[in-house]
Amino acid sequence: MPKATMTMASLPSTGRDSRGGYLSPVLTDYHLHLRTDEVGKAAEAFTQENVDRYLAAAEEQGIAELGVSEHVYRFADALEIWQHPYWRDQAVDDLGAYCEFVRTTPLRLGIEADYLRGAEDRIENLLSAHDFDYVVGSVHYLGEKGAVDDQRYDVWESFSDADSLWSEYFEWQAELVRSGLFDIVSHPDLIKIWGDDRPAPERDPRFHYEPLAEALAESETAVEVSTAGLRKPVGEIYPARALAEMCREAGAEFALSSDAHAPDQVGFGYDEALEFLEDLGVERICVFEGRNRRLEPIGRTGVEADGVADMEAGG
Ligand SMILES: [Zn+2]
Ligand SMILES: [Zn+2]
């Protein structure tokens, strides 16, 4: 067995030390994709060799909690939820086989599932048929109006101005949270992905964030801090600082991920993300198992965190 696998598998899943005392610091990377956008690559993606590449990258960075959340629309079952042309192209993999494979690895089993207005029952049917550790909820499409992050189906063509689009986008995000179907709301302000290539809203963005913050206040859904935005035209973390502050004021907890689509993107930009969380005053992040959430102190595994240890061991 490769070294990386052994190390990951031997980590205590509770995050407690051998004495059952304080929680040791942890970093997560839950929003990962093993498979690229190329159709028919499942056989190459879902292999122990590929998983080992991700595990090795995580270990190097002190990321103890690693999980995979493949796009729901890669799987044939997704066509029961929606029949978008892109989904019909992509939906070829076997969801049951994916779940079975991930359970043979030390990875947590997740899925990135799209929220679609009006499809809540169909989404729930699909999700409840599998024993996921967590479900990442995403708004990539505002239904038939188009895609937020795919220029082939560009949602901007359905809106006359940035404010009406931003307003509707964050309404969808609020509905995602209220649906209760998801453990994490991913890339919470994906709408900014194109940066200066698209018009900015004229209103203060905080006006648009408000519905999402209100929904979070009444929900247990965690907010993803995603470094994927650093790799996109916008060049910044999702969510924007002002949105993160509003989420925090609403009482939301945070989940940390890179949205990696390749091993070299695991933990991408985490130094910046950790600074971001520290500036926000966030000291614990969400860890998931069997769709139950717990909070653990933030920190790289293998790095001493004396302050936390002394404080909690003493109490
Ligand atoms: Zn996504
Ligand atoms: Zn993703």
Side-chain angles (χ1 to χ4, degrees):
M1 191 183 283
K3 182 173 167 284
T5 306
M6 287 181 62
T7 308
M8 289 294 297
S10 62
L11 285 169
S13 64
T14 60
R16 288 177 185 276
D17 72 0
S18 54
R19 295 164 296 169
Y22 60 84
L23 290 161
S24 42
V26 69
L27 290 187
T28 62
D29 200 343
Y30 280 146
H31 188 153
L32 297 180
H33 301 276
L34 294 174
R35 164 138 134 45
T36 62
D37 289 341
E38 281 177 86
V39 173
K41 294 288 181 180
E44 292 166 34
F46 302 125
T47 65
Q48 190 60 54
E49 291 70 32
N50 196 33
V51 168
D52 284 340
R53 285 193 279 272
Y54 282 75
L55 292 171
E59 191 190 16
E60 221 167 82
Q61 301 200 47
I63 300 169
E65 273 281 323
L66 208 64
V68 58
S69 59
E70 217 53 70
H71 282 293
V72 71
Y73 58 73
R74 307 282 197 218
F75 303 103
D77 307 51
L79 296 179
E80 287 162 26
I81 298 174
W82 205 30
Q83 290 274 339
H84 188 275
Y86 183 65
W87 287 36
R88 283 204 300 269
D89 283 349
Q90 288 279 323
V92 297
D93 294 349
D94 182 319
L95 181 54
Y98 159 75
C99 295
E100 263 175 49
F101 168 73
V102 175
R103 288 303 185 202
T104 68
T105 75
L107 299 173
R108 297 266 181 237
L109 174 60
I111 190 161
E112 178 176 11
D114 291 64
Y115 170 72
L116 283 162
R117 189 179 279 171
E120 291 85 349
D121 290 348
R122 303 196 295 279
I123 296 167
E124 182 170 21
N125 283 342
L126 183 146
L127 295 177
S128 62
H130 303 277
D131 65 336
F132 297 112
D133 286 312
Y134 57 87
V135 177
V136 176
S138 297
V139 171
H140 298 115
Y141 292 83
L142 303 186
E144 304 300 333
K145 289 181 179 170
V148 172
D149 62 344
D150 187 340
Q151 303 197 51
R152 290 169 295 184
Y153 308 101
D154 200 345
V155 74
W156 284 82
E157 287 170 15
S158 299
F159 289 82
S160 58
D161 65 286
D163 284 284
S164 54
L165 172 53
W166 277 55
S167 173
E168 182 153 345
Y169 169 79
F170 283 103
E171 283 296 340
W172 276 68
Q173 287 287 62
E175 286 173 28
L176 179 161
V177 168
R178 287 212 171 87
S179 75
L181 292 168
F182 310 96
D183 302 300
I184 302 167
V185 53
S186 76
H187 35 60
D189 53 355
L190 184 66
I191 193 68
K192 73 182 178 185
I193 183 172
W194 304 118
D196 293 340
D197 296 345
R198 299 296 160 87
E202 286 179 17
R203 301 195 76 138
D204 185 325
R206 283 174 290 193
F207 168 82
H208 296 298
Y209 302 154
E210 194 55 46
L212 173 56
E214 274 176 31
L216 288 165
E218 299 159 13
S219 154
E220 287 282 287
T221 313
V223 175
E224 182 180 74
V225 170
S226 169
T227 56
L230 296 169
R231 307 193 298 265
K232 305 292 181 184
V234 67
E236 62 177 54
I237 283 172
Y238 307 115
R241 171 69 193 232
L243 174 54
E245 282 171 1
M246 287 171 68
C247 295
R248 189 150 163 68
E249 281 160 25
E253 304 293 350
F254 293 86
L256 175 62
S257 288
S258 69
D259 205 347
H261 284 65
D264 63 3
Q265 293 173 347
V266 172
F268 175 85
Y270 267 28
D271 285 341
E272 190 169 333
L274 294 178
E275 214 178 293
F276 182 86
L277 288 164
E278 196 181 336
D279 286 352
L280 274 178
V282 175
E283 292 174 346
R284 291 177 180 241
I285 48 169
C286 298
V287 172
F288 293 92
E289 194 172 357
R291 303 208 63 182
N292 291 310
R293 170 179 109 174
R294 58 181 191 269
L295 289 166
E296 297 194 359
I298 299 173
R300 293 186 195 274
T301 299
V303 178
E304 284 298 314
D306 292 337
V308 174
D310 292 346
M311 198 171 63
E312 301 207 355

